[in-house]
Amino acid sequence: MAQTHLKEALDTLKDTGVRITPQRHAILEYLINSMTHPTADDIYKALEGTFPNMSVATVYNNLRVFREVGLVKELTYGDSSSRFDFVTTQHYHVICEGCGKIVDFHYPGLDEVEQLAAHVTGFKVSHHRMEVYGECPECSKKKEMH
Ligand SMILES: [Zn+2]
């Protein structure tokens, strides 16, 4: 299971053009295997033996990169000790109505919809689905050329 998550996470980085460095690989692996929600400092302490030249700032910057592509959630508690949570939830699809191409994207914020639905309706919520439709960049370009 953890290996699948790691592979998917690495694929997401590749797809979004984020370079996979040994440090990024190690930080991701640590986050996935960690059952707690570690701080940047926790991760730094766990990995400083392997990467003696890595600083806490480097760890934090990498975590921000992961957050921007939707791989991790940053849980802020109103101080500097933000905790990071690997997002194991499903991804969503955006579908081109022109050519049918399907592109994956992550939107961790939508997880809360399940909690809200359960709270409001009393249902035991199992999952949710969302599809987004539109026109892919290639199809838009083709139209402009005509
Ligand atoms: Zn298209």
Side-chain angles (χ1 to χ4, degrees):
M1 197 63 179
Q3 281 310 308
T4 314
H5 286 151
L6 182 61
K7 198 193 162 294
E8 279 176 7
L10 294 172
D11 284 346
T12 301
L13 290 183
K14 266 183 226 156
D15 291 347
T16 47
V18 175
R19 208 159 58 89
I20 300 160
T21 63
Q23 293 179 359
R24 284 188 178 148
H25 192 284
I27 294 169
L28 264 183
E29 200 165 31
Y30 182 82
L31 268 171
I32 291 168
N33 292 326
S34 164
M35 290 295 128
T36 59
H37 300 134
T39 63
D41 202 48
D42 292 337
I43 298 170
Y44 165 73
K45 279 177 186 146
L47 298 178
E48 66 177 339
T50 319
F51 302 102
N53 296 321
M54 187 168 66
S55 66
V56 186
T58 310
V59 173
Y60 189 73
N61 288 338
N62 282 315
L63 289 166
R64 278 182 52 191
V65 170
F66 297 155
R67 191 191 63 198
E68 274 155 26
V69 299
L71 285 177
V72 303
K73 239 194 261 192
E74 183 170 356
L75 313 165
T76 315
Y77 293 113
D79 56 19
S80 60
S81 61
S82 278
R83 295 185 166 272
F84 291 86
D85 192 11
F86 183 72
V87 175
T88 54
T89 51
Q90 60 186 320
H91 55 258
Y92 302 101
H93 293 149
V94 57
I95 301 159
C96 178
E97 292 172 304
C99 67
K101 179 164 72 184
I102 300 173
V103 178
D104 293 347
F105 69 99
H106 291 259
Y107 184 39
L110 211 54
D111 296 352
E112 288 166 17
V113 149
E114 295 192 6
Q115 287 157 37
L116 182 75
H119 182 73
V120 169
T121 64
F123 273 48
K124 275 186 188 161
V125 172
S126 62
H127 65 286
H128 67 269
R129 284 181 59 173
M130 182 179 75
E131 282 167 356
V132 179
Y133 294 88
E135 190 176 62
C136 74
E138 286 74 25
C139 286
S140 298
K141 229 181 261 170
K142 266 183 215 160
K143 266 193 194 164
E144 278 165 26
M145 287 192 296
H146 284 294

